[in-house]
Amino acid sequence: MEETVGDPPTSAVLLDHCHFSQVIFNSVEKFYVPGGDVTCYYTLTEHFTPRRKDWIGIFRVGWKTTREYYTFMWVTLPVDPNNISTKQQEVQFKAYYLPKDDEYYQFCYVDQDGLVRGASIPFQFRPENEEDILVVTTQGEVEEIEQSNNELRKENQELKDSCVSLQKQNSDMQAALQKQQEELKTLKSINKKLEQKVEEQKDISETELLQLKEQNQKLSAENEKMGVRVDQLQAQLSTQEKEMEKLVQEAQDKTEQLECLKKENFLSLMEQRKHQQKLEKTVEELKQQEAIATKKEQELTDENFDLSKRLSENKMICTVLQREKERLEGENDLLKRDNFRLMSYMGLDFDSLPFQAPTSDQGDAGQNPGLVFGNPYFGKTTLCSSSQRTIKKCPTCKSNLADDVFDHISQQQPIETLSLDCPVCDKSFSANEKQIFEDHVFCHTL
């Protein structure tokens, strides 16, 4: 079997004769003369569409699969598959590739899936028959020919008898073949279903394969990352081992130091206990001193409360004195207006007098020497004043006080226990420090 460069697509599957009529071979000779090129003519039916890797092969009669081709040629695709004129195609086999024996061969159209779509009638490769030659025979030869004819007739009868038996066998074989064909149809339907399942499984397998490839790529990338990470971790591990060795050495050194410190701490602990005992004694003494200080603080608090109480009483007295002073100033203003009215009545000018009468704060209740003819109301005013209330001086500030105010102050606190408060800075002095209080108040006037 001769093969060309680039083997065609073939199949080892048994043939399905139902597709042999999709391509029809035309003008096939009974025999072809060896040594010349052979042109194969064929027609594509409307139910068949040619493809790029379809081919036509020369097969020896009795072949079983498309792998048993003797030689082949690639088909030429038509320019316009829809045009009817282009359905008639041809392909030429070179004489060099043709068989040299006189066996029977046939053309077969095979598609790119390796399936046969058309087959021609058988033909041979042999030279042409010579013309019949006239032969003259004798009587003896004729007798011999008749004898041989009788023998041939006898053989022919035997052959007929055998042919009948063969026909009977053929009918039996055809019945068996029909039964096998029915079984073959059933198997074909089962095979078709299996092929569909195989296609579905193939699609699923392809999808799963793609997913597995993607997962494999991801795993490869992650593996690379993990490899880099492992290298980093190994480097970190070696570094940590070195650091661990250092830490172990440091721990040993610290353990030795700790033993030394324990000994030192034991000695210092004994000293601290002695010192603690001293501190406890000191704390007891401090507690006693604190109790004494608390007692003194309570006494000072009580004394401060008494002083606060006295301060509030002095403020109340000061308020009363201030009101008395304002009242006396009002009376003094009335007297001044009366005096001015009287002088106006007498035709005298108050400002032109050489001597002004002293104020009532100086304690002079006598006749005003500034009056030329005397104060006609002097006796009456004195009598009225003496009849109403007696004017007394404050023992601390020398201010004029009424009898009722002076008695109220005397009842609230004895004179010798009164404190002297500075009207400017609120500084207090005892009654025995009268001179110091006066000097202090005088200093504010400077």
Side-chain angles (χ1 to χ4, degrees), residues 335-367:
L335 291 174
K336 285 182 179 180
R337 284 196 295 272
D338 291 340
N339 192 10
F340 179 75
R341 181 174 57 80
L342 291 174
M343 291 179 67
S344 298
Y345 179 77
M346 295 174 64
L348 298 176
D349 189 3
F350 182 77
D351 294 333
S352 61
L353 295 177
F355 179 77
Q356 294 294 334
T359 60
S360 61
D361 292 339
Q362 295 177 356
D364 191 2
Q367 188 178 359

Side-chain angles (χ1 to χ4, degrees), residues 308-324 405 408-409 411-413 421:
S308 300
K309 185 176 180 181
R310 289 173 60 187
L311 180 60
S312 61
E313 292 175 354
N314 289 334
K315 286 182 179 180
M316 185 176 63
I317 293 170
C318 183
T319 303
V320 173
L321 293 175
Q322 185 67 28
R323 291 177 181 175
E324 183 64 21
V405 175
H408 176 73
I409 294 173
Q411 292 174 0
Q412 291 292 330
Q413 188 176 3
D421 297 328

Side-chain angles (χ1 to χ4, degrees), residues 208-252:
E208 292 178 351
L209 182 62
L210 291 174
Q211 292 177 356
L212 289 173
K213 286 182 178 179
E214 293 178 355
Q215 291 179 359
N216 190 15
Q217 292 177 356
K218 292 180 180 179
L219 290 174
S220 299
E222 291 179 356
N223 192 13
E224 293 178 357
K225 292 180 180 179
M226 292 297 292
V228 176
R229 181 61 178 169
V230 166
D231 295 336
Q232 295 177 355
L233 290 174
Q234 287 179 351
Q236 291 179 2
L237 182 61
S238 61
T239 305
Q240 289 178 357
E241 286 178 352
K242 294 179 180 179
E243 292 178 355
M244 184 64 71
E245 291 177 356
K246 292 180 181 179
L247 291 173
V248 169
Q249 185 64 34
E250 291 177 357
Q252 292 177 356

Side-chain angles (χ1 to χ4, degrees), residues 23-29 32 37-43 55-58 72-76 87-94 98 106-109 118-121 123 125:
V23 178
I24 300 173
F25 289 92
N26 305 320
S27 304
V28 180
E29 301 292 340
Y32 293 95
D37 297 339
V38 175
T39 302
C40 174
Y41 300 96
Y42 61 95
T43 303
W55 55 283
I56 294 176
I58 296 176
F72 80 97
M73 290 294 294
W74 298 106
V75 300
T76 302
K87 298 292 182 179
Q88 181 70 31
Q89 302 292 327
E90 65 180 37
V91 64
Q92 190 177 34
F93 291 90
K94 297 296 182 182
L98 296 176
Q106 65 182 150
F107 298 114
C108 291
Y109 189 102
S120 69
I121 61 174
F123 57 85
F125 291 95

Side-chain angles (χ1 to χ4, degrees), residues 92-327:
Q92 190 177 34
F93 291 90
K94 297 296 182 182
Y96 177 77
Y97 298 106
L98 296 176
K100 302 298 187 294
D101 54 15
D102 57 352
E103 297 289 336
Y104 282 93
Y105 293 89
Q106 65 182 150
F107 298 114
C108 291
Y109 189 102
V110 185
D111 62 9
Q112 68 178 14
D113 296 328
L115 301 178
V116 178
R117 299 299 179 179
S120 69
I121 61 174
F123 57 85
Q124 286 179 300
F125 291 95
R126 65 180 176 81
E128 295 181 359
N129 292 332
E130 296 179 357
E131 295 180 0
D132 295 337
I133 300 172
L134 180 61
V135 179
V136 179
T137 59
T138 61
Q139 184 65 31
E141 292 177 348
V142 169
E143 290 177 357
E144 291 177 357
I145 291 171
E146 288 180 356
Q147 187 178 357
S148 63
N149 285 333
N150 292 329
E151 292 176 355
L152 291 173
R153 287 190 188 96
K154 186 178 179 180
E155 291 178 358
N156 190 14
Q157 186 63 35
E158 292 176 355
L159 290 173
K160 285 182 179 179
D161 295 337
S162 65
C163 183
V164 171
S165 64
L166 289 174
Q167 286 178 354
K168 184 178 180 181
Q169 291 178 2
N170 188 19
S171 62
D172 295 337
M173 291 180 68
Q174 285 181 354
L177 179 63
Q178 186 176 1
K179 185 177 180 180
Q180 289 180 356
Q181 286 179 351
E182 292 177 356
E183 293 178 354
L184 182 63
K185 288 181 180 179
T186 306
L187 292 173
K188 284 181 181 178
S189 61
I190 295 171
N191 188 22
K192 188 175 181 181
K193 293 179 181 179
L194 291 174
E195 286 178 354
Q196 291 178 355
K197 290 182 179 180
V198 168
E199 290 293 332
E200 293 176 357
Q201 292 292 332
K202 184 178 179 181
D203 295 336
I204 295 171
S205 299
E206 289 178 355
T207 305
E208 292 178 351
L209 182 62
L210 291 174
Q211 292 177 356
L212 289 173
K213 286 182 178 179
E214 293 178 355
Q215 291 179 359
N216 190 15
Q217 292 177 356
K218 292 180 180 179
L219 290 174
S220 299
E222 291 179 356
N223 192 13
E224 293 178 357
K225 292 180 180 179
M226 292 297 292
V228 176
R229 181 61 178 169
V230 166
D231 295 336
Q232 295 177 355
L233 290 174
Q234 287 179 351
Q236 291 179 2
L237 182 61
S238 61
T239 305
Q240 289 178 357
E241 286 178 352
K242 294 179 180 179
E243 292 178 355
M244 184 64 71
E245 291 177 356
K246 292 180 181 179
L247 291 173
V248 169
Q249 185 64 34
E250 291 177 357
Q252 292 177 356
D253 296 338
K254 288 182 178 179
T255 303
E256 294 176 357
Q257 293 177 1
L258 184 61
E259 293 295 332
C260 296
L261 289 174
K262 283 182 179 179
K263 295 179 181 179
E264 294 176 358
N265 288 334
F266 180 74
L267 297 175
S268 62
L269 183 62
M270 298 300 294
E271 294 178 356
Q272 287 178 1
R273 285 181 179 177
K274 293 179 181 179
H275 184 64
Q276 185 177 3
Q277 291 176 357
K278 293 180 180 179
L279 290 176
E280 289 177 354
K281 293 180 180 180
T282 305
V283 168
E284 292 294 332
E285 293 176 358
L286 290 174
K287 286 182 178 179
Q288 294 176 1
Q289 293 178 3
E290 184 180 1
I292 295 170
T294 304
K295 185 176 181 181
K296 289 183 178 180
E297 184 180 1
Q298 185 64 33
E299 292 176 356
L300 291 174
T301 303
D302 296 338
E303 186 177 354
N304 189 19
F305 178 75
D306 295 336
L307 292 174
S308 300
K309 185 176 180 181
R310 289 173 60 187
L311 180 60
S312 61
E313 292 175 354
N314 289 334
K315 286 182 179 180
M316 185 176 63
I317 293 170
C318 183
T319 303
V320 173
L321 293 175
Q322 185 67 28
R323 291 177 181 175
E324 183 64 21
K325 182 180 177 182
E326 292 175 357
R327 187 184 63 77

Side-chain angles (χ1 to χ4, degrees), residues 361-415:
D361 292 339
Q362 295 177 356
D364 191 2
Q367 188 178 359
N368 190 347
L371 296 177
V372 178
F373 298 101
N375 187 0
Y377 299 99
F378 176 72
K380 186 183 294 185
T381 302
T382 301
L383 293 174
C384 292
S385 298
S386 59
S387 61
Q388 291 178 358
R389 65 179 67 184
T390 305
I391 302 300
K392 296 182 180 180
K393 293 185 178 293
C394 178
T396 57
C397 59
K398 302 300 182 181
S399 298
N400 295 329
L401 297 175
D403 291 338
D404 53 356
V405 175
F406 186 82
D407 294 336
H408 176 73
I409 294 173
S410 299
Q411 292 174 0
Q412 291 292 330
Q413 188 176 3
I415 295 175

